[in-house]
């Protein structure tokens, strides 16, 4: 029997056994197997003899849905990269099937997101879901490309299935709409789009990002520490770059409520921002900040083009126009 992706089921059994062999000591293996819903130890068995064989004996008669659930629980408990890569290759989501990899591009009130069960990766948008986009496909090692995003978009909007050009235009306009009238962010987005289509997607207004490959780096958390990212790039080899556009509100506060009343430096606001940057960096993200003042003159588009080309080439994307 093969899984939907063509991967033989025995490979999934082997990967589960290998993960438990690597992460669980022999004296705990029987208890861990029972915790995972596998058969208890028999009188003539001893996990010390061969840990992999001990696990295999308990997986042989398990149907595919049970194997999938066990594999996901092992990844959630131990963060095993090899098993997670196999799950991603097979296109599997969370145990409940409700895993949402990205929540982004709200063009109205921001979504309210709760994690009622972070162990099984169940994520619920409890308010304003109609205003945001939810990408729920597997995130592969090569990242998330414009083509991946368009393919997903066409599934949501089958009226564009016969016209790839119109599908791209429709997606572009929907993403731009999430930026509202923010001229600085629109300039960044449009400049990146001009580099070409065969590139990682520049994802705007990211409220949630779940990356099962690197959950162990997050200390058990499954989402970004900061509430919203201006832009996110998911590139080759699981590289994740956050791009923030900093206006004066990032480091100062208004002196009064009236428009034009002036601003005062706000060290506490700035300190909070850099603390979040440190946390993201420790979680494996690259964080790049662009000052709003940099985008105010005629050379801004050239500066942004140079930045994006260098960033993409640094991570192995050489097909920039």
């Amino acid at each position: 029997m093969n899984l939907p992706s063509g991967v033989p089921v025995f490979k999934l059994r082997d990967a589960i056994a290998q993960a438990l062999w690597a992460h669980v000591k022999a004296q705990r293996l029987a208890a861990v197997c029972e915790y995972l819903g596998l058969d208890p130890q028999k009188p003539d068995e001893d996990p010390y003899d061969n840990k992999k064989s001990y696990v295999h004996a308990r997986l042989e008669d398990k149907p595919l849905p049970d194997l999938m659930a066990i594999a996901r629980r092992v990844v959630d408990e131990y963060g095993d990269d090899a098993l997670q890569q196999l799950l991603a290759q097979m296109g599997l989501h969370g145990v409940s099937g409700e895993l949402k990899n990205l929540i982004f591009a709200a063009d109205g009130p921001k979504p309210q997101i709760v994690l009622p069960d972070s162990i099984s990766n169940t994520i619920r948008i409890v308010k304003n879901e109609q205003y945001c986009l939810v990408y729920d496909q597997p995130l592969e090692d090569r990242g998330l490309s414009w083509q991946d995003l368009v393919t997903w978009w066409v599934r949501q909007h089958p009226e564009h299935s016969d016209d790839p050009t119109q599908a791209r235009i429709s997606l572009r306009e929907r993403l731009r709409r999430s930026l509202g009238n923010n001229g600085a962010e629109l300039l960044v987005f449009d400049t990146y789009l001009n580099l070409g289509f065969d590139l990682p997607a520049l994802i705007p207004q990211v409220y949630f990002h779940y990356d099962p490959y690197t959950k162990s780096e997050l200390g058990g958390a499954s989402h970004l520490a900061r509430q919203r990212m201006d832009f996110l790039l998911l590139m080759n080899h699981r590289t994740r770059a956050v791009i923030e556009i900093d206006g004066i509100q990032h480091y100062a506060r208004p002196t009064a409520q009236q428009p034009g009343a002036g601003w005062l430096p706000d060290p506490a606001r700035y300190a909070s921002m850099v603390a979040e940057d440190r946390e993201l960096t420790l979680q494996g993200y690259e964080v790049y900040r662009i000052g709003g003042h940099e985008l105010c003159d005629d050379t801004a588009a050239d500066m942004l083009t140079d930045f994006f080309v260098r960033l993409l080439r640094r991570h192995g994307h050489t097909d920039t126009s």
Side-chain angles (χ1 to χ4, degrees):
M1 180 189 296
N2 285 356
L3 295 167
S5 64
V7 176
V9 173
F10 76 81
K11 284 195 173 183
L12 182 57
R13 294 193 188 100
D14 287 345
I16 295 171
Q18 176 66 29
L20 292 176
W21 174 86
H23 296 287
V24 180
K25 294 183 181 298
Q27 62 264 34
R28 295 189 61 244
L29 188 59
V32 169
C33 284
E34 287 193 54
Y35 169 72
L36 293 171
L38 302 178
D39 290 343
Q41 183 174 336
K42 298 176 182 177
D44 59 343
E45 289 183 308
D46 187 349
Y48 282 87
D49 292 339
N50 189 313
K51 291 197 293 182
K52 288 184 185 178
S53 296
Y54 184 92
V55 176
H56 262 295
R58 283 154 176 76
L59 297 175
E60 287 297 330
D61 62 347
K62 292 293 182 185
L64 179 57
D66 287 355
L67 287 174
M68 292 161 57
I70 292 165
R72 174 56 63 191
R73 291 187 72 183
V74 170
V75 168
D76 284 334
E77 290 291 329
Y78 301 106
D80 186 86
D81 284 345
L83 182 55
Q84 177 55 66
Q85 289 182 44
L86 183 61
L87 288 175
Q89 182 182 350
M90 295 185 303
L92 300 179
H93 294 20
V95 174
S96 65
E98 299 177 8
L99 177 61
K100 296 171 175 62
N101 286 325
L102 285 168
I103 299 174
F104 64 107
D107 63 351
K110 67 181 181 181
Q112 293 185 14
I113 304 164
V114 298
L115 281 76
D117 184 1
S118 61
I119 295 296
S120 63
N121 304 322
T122 301
I123 300 151
R124 186 176 305 151
I125 307 174
V126 296
K127 189 174 182 181
N128 300 325
E129 182 172 9
Q130 68 271 31
Y131 297 109
C132 61
L133 302 180
V134 179
Y135 185 84
D136 57 0
Q137 301 303 299
L139 295 175
E140 300 184 12
D141 181 75
R142 61 180 172 79
L144 179 63
S145 69
W146 282 127
Q147 185 58 62
D148 294 329
L149 210 55
V150 170
T151 300
W152 164 82
W153 180 252
V154 169
R155 292 194 190 105
Q156 319 302 312
H157 299 274
E159 66 272 19
H160 299 314
S161 58
D162 296 327
D163 191 344
T165 299
Q166 186 56 41
R168 293 184 190 183
I169 293 172
S170 174
L171 174 61
R172 179 192 68 197
E173 293 309 306
R174 173 60 184 83
L175 296 179
R176 290 184 91 254
R177 194 160 70 241
S178 72
L179 301 175
N181 296 319
N182 189 315
E185 293 184 359
L186 286 167
L187 175 62
V188 171
F189 187 73
D190 290 342
T191 300
Y192 186 84
L193 278 175
N194 288 337
L195 294 177
F197 185 74
D198 297 322
L199 293 170
L202 184 66
I203 309 159
Q205 308 293 298
V206 176
Y207 284 89
F208 184 97
H209 171 222
Y210 175 85
D211 186 351
Y213 282 121
T214 53
K215 185 174 181 181
S216 59
E217 296 174 6
L218 307 181
S222 56
H223 61 292
L224 291 169
R226 188 175 283 125
Q227 184 181 39
R228 181 183 62 78
M229 302 292 101
D230 288 342
F231 297 101
L232 178 65
L233 279 168
L234 302 175
M235 296 180 284
N236 280 336
H237 311 302
R238 313 178 200 170
T239 302
R240 302 156 294 169
V242 171
I243 300 168
E244 287 286 286
I245 314 303
D246 291 348
I248 193 172
Q249 73 276 7
H250 288 80
Y251 52 84
R253 68 179 187 277
T255 57
Q257 296 300 318
Q258 301 91 333
W263 295 79
L264 289 173
D266 191 340
R269 182 173 299 188
Y270 176 76
S272 175
M273 179 182 71
V274 297
E276 289 173 347
D277 282 357
R278 287 198 306 274
E279 183 62 28
L280 284 176
T281 302
L282 289 171
Q283 291 178 5
Y285 293 83
E286 296 180 6
V287 181
Y288 297 93
R289 291 192 167 275
I290 299 172
H293 187 71
E294 297 181 80
L295 305 178
C296 292
D297 59 42
D298 296 338
T299 65
D302 292 337
M303 179 275 294
L304 289 169
T305 298
D306 178 67
F307 163 69
F308 280 125
V309 168
R310 291 168 64 191
L311 176 62
L312 290 167
R313 287 179 178 169
R314 178 171 179 254
H315 293 292
H317 300 281
T318 58
D319 48 357
T320 54
S321 56

